[in-house]
């Protein structure tokens, strides 16, 4: 059989400075509007969770306001677009070609379709797939006619979205579990694609669903793989069956299965050896292991960065040993989308799960519709909401909501919620899921993460009283000076943090009011917000005096529970 080379094409994104520049003004407004515009996020969860969403929006808003340096760099085209960014902006130029058109016609879709074709090819989608895709979209686009109130570019986006979903298999393809007895999952894949890591991630994923599992180390060619699996197993609290490197993989698999039966495990996950490229002995060995196990699922782990080659691998493995699906890893990396878009169409096998990072929680189901949304820069809203719901308990959300409504949101809440956000996963991923954040660059995210660390370090040196009563810091330069000294930050940074908390209180309360139909019930606070904004922007010492009386007046005008009108900088 012909060997398929496994050249991991770590393809650098082409230099697309012009695209970055073009899309930059949109990016800035997207960043700005994210504070308030994630209405999808807000509306898709109950009001009990609204405080969480408000917070999340506020945190991102805050974080982004700190990323201006990187924004300037992005303006100069210095930073690279984020995951799938190239494909997203390629498709965007297709919609742009339709600006000013009244209706989609055979003639005016020629240019946009050319752009779509180019974007998909640049994303490393296989040529036959691109051809079929473009044809399907063109046919629908011409036939769609005029729809009142919908612009042709929006119509095209809609058609492309539904074709992308179809291309990736339409529905989410769930893992199958044995009707009775143990579910056995056999993992295969080439070297370094992330098989061993996936074993542990998968057991963690199942654990969260209440299923017990055992890992079986059948990679006898790389002794370090056994140790790696044992360490990862310990990390996720799952037993690992090992039998060294002298026993045949099929025998290890059989014994591992026996052991799992004895231990009454729900699922057995078997790690097998990878090779640099497909070869006969690897396939024979896998066939033998498969015979010994009679697995419920045989999943091929493929690296998203290999683009359409991943699809070719899935096809070959399926023909050779018969697989049930694929797991796509490293989607958080420099992947251009070719693998995600080609696997199903080329091989007929679904992508069941995706790896989006190195941490154990970075494995999730593959949702074609959400992926299509991401590709089109619409953000992976549902994944984001799910993550958020996972990390924040309902009681916390309700408690937070109460605090927001009484304007008592303090530094403890600030810290707690920031950490919740951090638990959702690296910011890189979470931000990519928020609508309008699709174009935030990795460098911006790094800056944002740095900003959060700075903020944490300042809060950590506050006394419990200072954390609970930000007013103390607002009115005392001496306290702010001490915090600056203890945290190794500047006084200005401390002042900014305090001002930021007050801004957040106001904005969150306002938003909460809007979400609960009380829009306009706290008009006085919005003036203070402006005053505080001026304060943060102005050089230290100037705005404080300017905004003092305003702040007082604004607080005095609210039904705030605090007795005295103490704004930032007032005595
Ligand atoms: N960024 C990122 N890295 C990943 C992901 N999955 C795995 N990795 C990393 O990829 C590297 C290789 O992972 P392994 O699990 O050792 O790969 P393997 O397929 O078992 O390798 P062999 O045992 O040599 O066949 C490790 O550094 C992992 O942390 C992912 O989804 N995202």
């Amino acid at each position: 059989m012909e060997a398929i080379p496994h050249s991991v094409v770590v393809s650098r994104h082409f230099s697309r400075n012009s695209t970055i520049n073009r899309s930059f003004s949109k990016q800035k407004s997207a960043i700005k509007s994210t504070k308030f515009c994630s209405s999808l996020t807000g509306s898709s969860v109950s009001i009990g969770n609204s405080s969480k969403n408000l917070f999340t929006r506020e945190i991102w808003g805050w974080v982004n306001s700190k990323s201006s340096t990187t924004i300037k760099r992005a303006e100069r085209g210095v930073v690279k677009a984020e995951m799938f960014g190239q494909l997203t902006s390629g498709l965007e130029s297709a919609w742009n070609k339709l600006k000013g058109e009244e209706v989609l016609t055979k003639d005016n879709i020629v240019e946009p379709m050319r752009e779509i074709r180019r974007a998909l090819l640049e994303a490393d989608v296989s040529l036959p797939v691109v051809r079929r895709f473009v044809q399907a979209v063109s046919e629908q686009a011409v036939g769609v006619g005029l729809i009142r109130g919908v612009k042709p570019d929006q119509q095209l986006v809609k058609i492309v979205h539904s074709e992308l979903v179809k291309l990736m298999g339409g529905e989410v393809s769930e893992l199958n579990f044995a009707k009775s007895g143990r579910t056995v999952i056999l993992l295969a894949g080439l070297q370094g694609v992330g098989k061993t890591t996936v074993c542990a991630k998968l057991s963690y994923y199942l654990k969260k669903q209440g299923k017990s599992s055992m890992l079986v180390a059948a990679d006898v060619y790389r002794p370090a793989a056994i140790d790696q699996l044992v360490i990862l197993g310990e990390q996720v609290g799952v037993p690992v069956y090992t039998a060294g490197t002298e026993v045949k993989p099929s025998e290890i698999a059989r014994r591992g299965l026996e052991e799992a039966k004895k231990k009454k495990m729900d699922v057995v996950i078997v790690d097998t050896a990878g090779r640099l490229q497909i070869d006969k002995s690897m396939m024979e060995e896998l066939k033998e292991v498969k015979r010994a196990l009679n697995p419920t699922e045989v999943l091929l782990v493929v690296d998203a960065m290999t683009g359409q080659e991943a699809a070719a691998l899935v096809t070959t493995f399926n023909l050779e040993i018969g697989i049930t699906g694929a797991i796509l890893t490293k989607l958080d990396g420099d992947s251009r989308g070719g693998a995600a878009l080609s696997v199903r169409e080329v091989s007929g096998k679904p992508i069941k799960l995706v790896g989006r990072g190195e941490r154990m929680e970075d494995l999730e189901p593959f949702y074609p519709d959400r992926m299509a949304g991401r590709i089109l820069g619409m953000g992976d809203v549902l994944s984001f909401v799910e993550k958020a719901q996972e990390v924040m308990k309902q009681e916390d959300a309700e408690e937070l909501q109460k605090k927001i409504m009484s304007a008592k949101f303090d530094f403890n809440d600030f810290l707690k919620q920031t950490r919740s956000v951090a638990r959702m996963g690296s910011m890189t991923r979470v931000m990519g899921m928020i609508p309008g954040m699709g174009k935030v660059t990795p460098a911006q995210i790094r800056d944002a993460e740095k900003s959060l660390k700075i903020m944490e370090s300042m809060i950590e040196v506050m006394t419990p009283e200072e954390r609970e009563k930000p007013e103390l810091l607002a009115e005392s330069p001496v306290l702010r000076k001490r915090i600056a000294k203890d945290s190794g930050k500047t006084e200005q940074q401390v002042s900014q943090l305090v001002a930021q908390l007050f801004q957040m209180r106001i904005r969150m309360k306002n938003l909460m009011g809007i979400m609960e139909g009380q829009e306009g019930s706290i008009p006085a606070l919005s003036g203070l917000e402006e005053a505080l904004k001026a304060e943060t922007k102005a050089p230290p010492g100037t705005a404080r005096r300017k905004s003092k009386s305003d702040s007082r007046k604004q607080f005095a005008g609210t039904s705030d529970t605090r007795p005295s009108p103490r704004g930032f900088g007032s005595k």
Side-chain angles (χ1 to χ4, degrees), residues 188-199 201 219 221-222 224-226 228-229 232 271-276 282 301-303 305 328-334 354-360 362-363:
L190 296 184
Q191 224 168 59
V193 291
K195 247 178 301 94
T196 310
T197 319
V198 162
C199 283
K201 282 179 179 176
D219 180 353
Y221 302 101
R222 190 168 71 90
I226 301 177
Q228 189 187 345
L229 198 65
L232 292 174
D271 185 24
T272 59
R275 302 282 203 280
L276 277 177
M282 176 199 205
V301 183
V302 283
D303 182 334
M305 289 204 278
L328 197 58
T329 59
K330 309 188 191 179
L331 257 188
D332 53 310
D334 213 358
V354 290
R356 278 174 148 186
E358 295 188 70
R359 302 167 333 145
M360 290 300 106
D362 294 334
L363 185 77

Side-chain angles (χ1 to χ4, degrees), residues 303-494:
D303 182 334
M305 289 204 278
T306 56
Q308 55 175 299
E309 194 188 310
L313 280 175
V314 177
T315 311
T316 311
F317 269 81
N318 187 39
L319 291 174
E320 285 287 319
I321 56 167
I323 60 170
T324 54
I327 298 181
L328 197 58
T329 59
K330 309 188 191 179
L331 257 188
D332 53 310
D334 213 358
S335 107
R336 287 177 287 159
L341 289 171
S342 308
V343 164
R344 176 65 189 242
E345 181 78 0
V346 171
S347 71
K349 290 289 157 189
I351 296 172
K352 295 211 165 188
L353 296 156
V354 290
R356 278 174 148 186
E358 295 188 70
R359 302 167 333 145
M360 290 300 106
E361 50 268 55
D362 294 334
L363 185 77
E364 48 195 65
F366 178 69
Y367 298 102
D369 55 341
R370 298 186 195 180
M371 189 57 75
R374 273 189 81 118
I375 291 171
L376 296 176
M378 285 150 58
D380 198 345
V381 182
L382 292 173
S383 295
F384 174 69
V385 172
E386 260 174 28
K387 287 274 165 204
Q389 276 168 334
E390 241 175 59
V391 296
M392 196 182 201
K393 290 193 275 359
Q394 185 70 19
E395 313 92 77
D396 281 357
E398 275 157 18
E399 179 61 21
L400 184 62
Q401 187 175 344
K402 268 188 228 152
K403 284 195 164 182
I404 291 168
M405 290 317 284
S406 58
K408 278 195 174 146
F409 182 80
D410 61 23
F411 281 118
N412 285 320
D413 303 308
F414 198 102
L415 200 57
K416 197 165 155 193
Q417 303 318 314
T418 313
R419 285 177 179 159
S420 289
V421 171
R423 260 189 288 143
M424 275 188 230
S426 98
M427 247 190 213
T428 324
R429 238 187 45 208
V430 176
M431 280 180 134
M433 291 175 185
I434 302 176
M437 291 296 231
K439 292 190 204 78
V440 175
T441 63
Q444 275 174 287
I445 290 162
R446 274 196 301 278
D447 268 17
E449 276 171 337
K450 232 193 277 167
S451 300
L452 277 184
K453 286 218 173 75
I454 292 174
M455 181 202 76
E456 270 195 12
S457 64
M458 291 187 277
I459 299 177
E460 268 159 8
V461 300
M462 290 176 193
T463 63
E465 207 192 358
E466 286 161 355
R467 286 191 195 190
E468 274 172 30
K469 294 181 187 153
E471 299 79 15
L472 294 177
L473 296 177
E475 64 192 18
S476 165
V478 177
L479 290 182
R480 294 201 296 275
K481 200 167 179 172
R482 198 211 75 235
I483 286 164
K485 188 165 161 276
D486 291 356
S487 62
K489 303 286 170 283
T490 65
E491 282 176 55
Q492 198 186 357
Q493 280 173 311
V494 178

